[in-house]
Amino acid sequence: MSDLGRKDISDKVQSAVTPDSQKSTLGSAKDKVTDSVDNAIGDNTSSKDKSFVQQASDAIFGEKK
């Protein structure tokens, strides 16, 4: 399984349910960077190399641009 470098699903959920108005500038910037890294790693990892949790996370959250 290749989840190394991927954003934890609990972090994704917390980021998704927290309104942007309640995030600090640093928090918003961190989300953008970690989401970009997560998407890049996810896009370059085949589904067979992803754990079930990461496959589900990718299906639920998809790629954010």
Side-chain angles (χ1 to χ4, degrees):
M1 305 288 169
S2 181
D3 292 345
L4 184 64
R6 298 296 309 267
K7 191 171 183 179
D8 189 79
I9 193 164
S10 63
D11 292 337
K12 287 183 178 186
V13 170
Q14 183 177 1
S15 177
V17 299
T18 304
D20 288 339
S21 62
Q22 292 183 359
K23 294 179 186 177
S24 66
T25 303
L26 181 60
S28 292
K30 179 185 171 199
D31 279 349
K32 287 180 184 179
V33 170
T34 56
D35 286 346
S36 295
V37 170
D38 183 68
N39 287 336
I41 294 170
D43 290 346
N44 291 304
T45 304
S46 71
S47 292
K48 69 181 181 90
D49 292 330
K50 294 179 186 178
S51 70
F52 173 77
V53 172
Q54 286 299 342
Q55 288 181 35
S57 174
D58 289 348
I60 293 167
F61 292 101
E63 184 175 341
K64 294 181 181 178
K65 301 253 178 179

